[in-house]
Amino acid sequence: ISNKNSLFKSLGKTFSLPNPLMNIINGGAHADNDLKIQEFMIRPDSAKNFTDAVHKCFLVIQNLKSLLKSKKMLTNVGDEGGFAPSINTNEEALELIVSAIEKSKLIPGKDIVICLDVAANELINKEGLYSIQSSKFMSVDEVIDYYKKIISNYPIKSIEDPFAEDDWEAWKKITKVI
């Protein structure tokens, strides 16, 4: 700032912190389970302020922990801080998250949305195929169809790194379709 004032003094009186994304289930390289997607996160879209956002996320996390325990699943955490239970499919993780949101008396897709970090750089082979949901490799078009399917079935509002960072054709396709 040219007048040597701190930036926050130039923001005025009405500013707020952004809504946090909280990593609640780990897969991929960050966990010792069968999930291919690296991070399943939640975002508290109905939060009135940052404190309310943290409170809503805390409720969901505590209810997810309770659900995992009731299913005799471990509540160990992965490298990134989310739970890393022995889960076989992305859909199973998504179902658990939706159940935890509902158990928190919040509305999935309105109060809390799901955000994914696929980290697809880790999931591409030399032929340009991706293993997003199992050890089976899929084409870019099949992966996009899979993303469309889970977006239509779950309150997913963000997908980070859905394809490898240098797979420009895949990025063009997904940007056009979703």
Side-chain angles (χ1 to χ4, degrees):
I1 305 286
S2 62
N3 65 6
K4 302 206 189 262
N5 281 340
S6 298
L7 175 62
F8 78 91
K9 291 180 179 177
S10 302
L11 294 175
K13 302 244 187 273
T14 58
F15 62 92
S16 64
L17 293 171
N19 274 347
L21 273 71
M22 302 251 181
N23 179 0
I24 62 172
I25 293 181
N26 283 157
H30 294 304
D32 189 21
N33 58 26
D34 291 333
L35 293 175
K36 296 293 186 169
I37 292 176
Q38 187 168 275
E39 295 178 1
F40 294 78
M41 300 173 282
I42 54 173
R43 187 179 71 207
D45 280 4
S46 70
K48 295 175 194 79
N49 53 46
F50 192 78
T51 302
D52 187 39
V54 171
H55 175 74
K56 285 179 170 153
C57 288
F58 177 79
L59 285 174
V60 175
I61 291 166
Q62 291 306 307
N63 281 304
L64 177 59
K65 184 176 186 178
S66 169
L67 282 168
L68 293 172
K69 283 183 173 184
S70 75
K71 294 177 178 293
K72 307 281 190 253
M73 294 177 150
L74 295 176
T75 56
N76 299 344
V77 295
D79 293 349
E80 296 283 310
F83 295 115
S86 229
I87 295 177
N88 298 318
T89 68
N90 300 324
E91 288 80 0
E92 187 178 356
L94 293 165
E95 289 290 337
L96 283 165
I97 294 169
V98 168
S99 294
I101 295 167
E102 292 171 343
K103 191 173 178 185
S104 303
K105 306 219 181 321
L106 297 167
I107 301 167
K110 181 179 180 222
D111 295 318
I112 304 283
V113 300
I114 298 172
C115 302
L116 305 174
D117 181 357
V118 177
N121 272 352
E122 316 258 342
L123 305 175
I124 189 171
N125 68 10
K126 290 177 184 158
E127 291 79 39
L129 302 173
Y130 291 88
S131 64
I132 300 296
Q133 60 176 331
S134 67
S135 56
K136 174 188 159 217
F137 282 86
M138 302 186 298
S139 70
V140 167
D141 290 332
E142 290 171 315
V143 172
I144 290 173
D145 287 343
Y146 176 70
Y147 289 146
K148 286 172 29 181
K149 178 182 144 203
I150 62 172
I151 288 169
S152 69
N153 291 331
Y154 301 97
I156 297 168
K157 298 297 177 195
S158 172
I159 301 178
E160 182 180 342
D161 298 332
F163 291 104
E165 61 190 24
D166 293 329
D167 192 348
W168 296 112
E169 291 307 311
W171 283 96
K172 286 183 205 173
K173 280 185 177 183
I174 196 166
T175 301
K176 195 177 217 178
V177 175
I178 299 178

